[in-house]
Amino acid sequence: MSGTWIEIIWDIVIMLFLLSGTFFIISSSIGILRFPDVYTRLHAATKGATLGVAGIMIGSFLFMYIEYGIVSGKLILGIIFVLITAPVSGHMISRAAYRSGVRLWDQSIKDDYDKAFKSEEQQS
Amino acid sequence: MEALEMTQALLKIVTEICIVGVSISIFILLYRAIKGPTNPDRAVALDTIGINLMGLAGLLAIYLVTTKLNDIILLIGILLFIGTVAIAKFLEKGVIIERDMD
């Protein structure tokens, strides 16, 4: 009888992980829709989507482990992979956008990369 | 025993709700990928669509009660990273693979 109560509690924990992951994914896509600029959209894209997919993967891992006793290491590996590659790809897209001439939002007040970019161009 | 069946039915309903939510998120990103003012906007939207597809595969593994979709998640992640790096290099320099013709 005690096993069923523990399974019920684990099911509720899995539901909480899935719902929080979906919430973060939807909020990150609303951020991509509403932000005014490429450089501000990248914040919403990398951070929010990484957190959301981590929540969903942890929920799926717990479901496989509780219901069937399968330890699926590929889901944990997927979390680590997204955690490593999302900042790298975000940085590469932002640098490519700056070098291909995409302007900042007209209400941004600080642009520190401009000086370094110009001195780098003069050297080469 | 009835409570366990009830929570399992509730888990299935929650999984369906999450699948619908991630699909709505993919549609919102698809608008940005088509409409986006510049090409880096489209690249950001495509990158995030790929990450949402990873989450959708994880939810579908719960819904269909199978472990065969776990390889697919890793495969989508690796191909997505290579594709994003290739798009970024193409936008920056105009070529993907640089060749020095000395």
Side-chain angles (χ1 to χ4, degrees):
Chain A
M1 193 62 196
S2 66
T4 59
W5 283 107
I6 291 174
E7 283 182 354
I8 288 169
I9 292 170
W10 276 115
D11 276 349
I12 292 172
V13 169
I14 290 168
M15 284 177 215
L16 286 181
F17 270 117
L18 291 182
L19 283 177
S20 63
T22 309
F23 169 73
F24 279 114
I25 277 186
I26 289 180
S27 63
S28 93
S29 73
I30 288 174
I32 290 178
L33 186 68
R34 294 287 296 164
F35 273 136
D37 195 6
V38 185
Y39 311 103
T40 46
R41 272 173 203 147
L42 272 167
H43 289 283
T46 57
K47 296 177 187 72
T50 304
L51 195 55
V53 85
I56 289 180
M57 291 298 160
I58 288 173
S60 180
F61 176 80
L62 282 180
F63 178 78
M64 290 298 166
Y65 183 60
I66 298 303
E67 299 277 328
Y68 297 97
I70 303 168
V71 179
S72 174
K74 288 161 192 163
L75 294 168
I76 304 297
L77 207 59
I79 296 176
I80 296 172
F81 197 78
V82 170
L83 211 64
I84 292 173
T85 60
V88 176
S89 62
H91 177 253
M92 284 199 74
I93 290 175
S94 129
R95 199 178 61 180
Y98 198 91
R99 296 204 172 197
S100 66
V102 176
R103 290 290 93 199
L104 267 72
W105 188 31
D106 53 357
Q107 294 186 26
S108 302
I109 55 174
K110 196 161 168 141
D111 186 8
D112 276 342
Y113 190 50
D114 195 18
K115 273 186 247 170
F117 185 51
K118 273 178 185 161
S119 68
E120 191 177 309
E121 263 192 343
Q122 281 175 358
Q123 281 180 2
S124 63
Chain B
M1 192 58 81
E2 290 176 356
L4 184 60
E5 289 174 358
M6 203 177 72
T7 49
Q8 280 178 349
L10 194 61
L11 183 59
K12 195 169 184 185
I13 293 172
V14 165
T15 311
E16 288 171 355
I17 291 172
C18 290
I19 287 176
V20 171
V22 176
S23 307
I24 289 171
S25 156
I26 288 179
F27 272 110
I28 292 173
L29 290 170
L30 210 58
Y31 172 79
R32 181 54 71 195
I34 294 171
K35 180 80 187 308
T38 58
N39 277 332
D41 281 318
R42 298 188 173 97
V44 172
L46 280 180
D47 191 14
T48 316
I49 282 176
I51 291 180
N52 283 1
L53 274 181
M54 289 175 68
L56 200 60
L59 285 173
L60 213 58
I62 294 179
Y63 185 68
L64 296 175
V65 195
T66 175
T67 59
K68 295 187 173 60
L69 284 171
N70 294 348
D71 298 329
I72 311 297
I73 294 169
L74 276 181
L75 193 66
I76 291 174
I78 294 166
L79 286 180
L80 183 74
F81 178 62
I82 295 172
T84 308
V85 169
I87 289 175
K89 283 184 85 72
F90 177 73
L91 286 176
E92 186 175 348
K93 293 176 182 147
V95 292
I96 294 174
I97 301 171
E98 302 173 58
R99 285 183 292 181
D100 288 332
M101 306 289 278
D102 287 331

